[in-house]
Amino acid sequence: MELKDKILSSYVAFENEVDMNSDVHEIRSKALENFEKLGFPTKKLEAWKYTSLNTILKKDYSIFPDRQKAIELADVKEYFIHDIDAYKVVFIDGKYSSFLSQTTHDHYDVCLMSSALSSPKYKSVIDTYFNKVAKQDNLTALNTAFAKEGAYIHIPKNTEVKKPIQIINFTTGSEVATMVQPRNLIIVEENAHVQIIERHQSLTSNAVLTNAVTEIFAAKSATVDVYKIQNDDLNASLVDNTYIDQKSNSVASVHTFSFGGNITRNNLNFYQNGEHIDSILKGVTIIEGKQHVDHHTLVHHIEPNCESHQDYKGIYDERSTGVFNGKVIVNKEAQKTNAYQQNNNVLVSDKATINAKPQLEIFADDVKCSHGCTIGQLDDDALFYMQQRGIPQKEGRGLLMFAFANTVLESVKIPEVKSRITKLIAQKLGVNIGFEL
């Protein structure tokens, strides 16, 4: 049985676990109809021209993994950032782990989607925000159809969350192949501020497919700072769909660090619904072997006097492949827009490839918009210069590549995250950077 058919036939079992009379379930049912019509994306679609899911969709995935191995903190401690005090929302095989989590309802909600979707207490919030910014394409529709568990974060107005919030999804691989579909909803009200650290991590040698959807709402003058750490095992593939709705004077930034995994697809979409908005999208990709990372970004400038800044760096070795498809849309009404987009790539191996497609669609006439893309190799003269001063070739290459990626690290606001990413980059490059940030 093909995966699509298996998913459709399993929906009846899913309905037995949820309230079929709720408004949310009506949304789920419509999403399933949409997925049934669209199916999984193929390379025939322009947006998926360079990324094929065929190899990973042939696995016999368990849609509802229910056998969890006992997980102790010592087993997963390395995947947390323990240098900082943080709230933690942890899931194992798609199910909440109270033992590993630290949530709160004191001044704001850091809790579970399952509670928010089923409790009358949250009904007005769910009616207002759930599935309102997520565009129902193939895989987002699939996630919506089975939306049940994930992180629910609601920060009230004029509140600064003093501690970052870590959202971590572990997969134990009790099944031969496992598919999980976390759904996150993050609401940051007027003049509030929150920092989010997100990670998906496989703990098995079995195949894992994660289809995640996150909706983020940044109200007037809100600040949202998100860090995605993608350093999974080679048996794991990830499709990460993130949708962000911003209101006037808000600032939303997403840093994506893609180092591990088999196939990784990041769909990152910003919608600027107000004036004086700033959207920041930055990323570093360092992969090797036959790894594949695809960054698809969209910033839609809808109203005037807004800015967006995109800066993505990629380092590709061996037979790895990368994709950067960045689109900026400027509506006719969005005068005084300042949009910057840059994608720079280094091909360490002559067998590595990168497909880059920066795009600007501008319908306003009083704007400052630029986009650029470079693809090349390391500077031989710079490498020779370093060798002449006693730096071995391997370390010299690593330092050059670290310097290449450092423009993205400079804007990381959490020192402990910056330190962790620096160490990961050093590991990926196989060098000792030799200094502390």
Side-chain angles (χ1 to χ4, degrees), residues 36 50 69 142 154 178 234 249-250 293 310 328 347 369 391 409:
E36 184 175 12
Y50 300 110
K69 295 179 181 177
L142 173 58
H154 188 181
T178 302
L234 293 178
N249 298 101
S250 65
V293 172
Q310 299 187 55
V328 176
L347 300 181
C369 297
I391 300 175
L409 288 176

Side-chain angles (χ1 to χ4, degrees), residues 11 47 65 89 93 105 110 151 165 196 207 326-327 334 338-339 341 406 414:
Y11 192 68
V89 191
D93 293 334
H105 293 280
V110 179
I165 302 170
I196 309 287
K327 179 181 288 188
N338 182 8
Q341 182 188 89
N406 195 46
I414 304 177

Side-chain angles (χ1 to χ4, degrees), residues 210-251:
T210 300
N211 177 36
V213 172
T214 300
E215 292 182 284
I216 301 176
F217 295 86
K220 182 179 179 182
S221 301
T223 302
V224 183
D225 199 16
V226 179
Y227 301 94
K228 295 177 180 286
I229 302 175
Q230 301 171 344
N231 191 34
D232 214 338
D233 294 335
L234 293 178
N235 57 288
S237 295
L238 168 68
V239 180
D240 189 349
N241 308 280
T242 301
Y243 301 89
I244 302 178
D245 180 285
Q246 290 184 252
K247 303 303 182 187
S248 297
N249 298 101
S250 65
V251 179

Side-chain angles (χ1 to χ4, degrees), residues 178-213:
T178 302
M179 182 177 185
V180 291
Q181 301 197 79
R183 179 66 172 243
N184 304 315
L185 178 59
I186 301 169
I187 303 159
V188 187
E189 293 190 1
E190 183 177 344
N191 202 36
H193 181 192
V194 69
Q195 294 177 317
I196 309 287
I197 304 167
E198 182 184 4
R199 183 163 189 161
H200 302 272
Q201 187 64 48
S202 171
L203 305 175
T204 175
S205 59
N206 292 335
V208 174
L209 173 59
T210 300
N211 177 36
V213 172

Side-chain angles (χ1 to χ4, degrees), residues 240-274:
D240 189 349
N241 308 280
T242 301
Y243 301 89
I244 302 178
D245 180 285
Q246 290 184 252
K247 303 303 182 187
S248 297
N249 298 101
S250 65
V251 179
S253 64
V254 176
H255 288 70
T256 305
F257 300 102
S258 303
F259 304 136
N262 178 17
I263 294 176
T264 302
R265 165 77 175 223
N266 290 298
N267 298 316
L268 183 54
N269 307 275
F270 282 72
Y271 302 94
Q272 297 186 335
N273 292 295

Side-chain angles (χ1 to χ4, degrees), residues 20 44 114 122 128 179 190 196 250 284 290 315 368 396 403:
M20 295 175 59
K44 293 180 180 180
S114 56
Y122 298 101
T128 302
M179 182 177 185
E190 183 177 344
I196 309 287
S250 65
V284 175
K290 295 182 179 180
I315 299 174
K368 293 181 180 179

Side-chain angles (χ1 to χ4, degrees), residues 268-323:
L268 183 54
N269 307 275
F270 282 72
Y271 302 94
Q272 297 186 335
N273 292 295
E275 295 191 42
H276 305 289
I277 291 172
D278 194 2
S279 302
I280 301 163
L281 304 78
K282 296 196 175 187
V284 175
T285 299
I286 304 177
I287 55 175
E288 59 189 357
K290 295 182 179 180
Q291 290 179 282
H292 179 97
V293 172
D294 182 345
H295 293 288
H296 255 66
T297 68
L298 167 67
V299 180
H300 194 166
H301 291 266
I302 300 169
E303 299 191 35
N305 301 305
C306 294
E307 297 189 6
S308 65
H309 303 269
Q310 299 187 55
D311 186 10
Y312 281 78
K313 307 289 188 182
I315 299 174
Y316 304 92
D317 200 357
E318 299 176 342
R319 294 180 178 272
S320 62
T321 58
V323 181

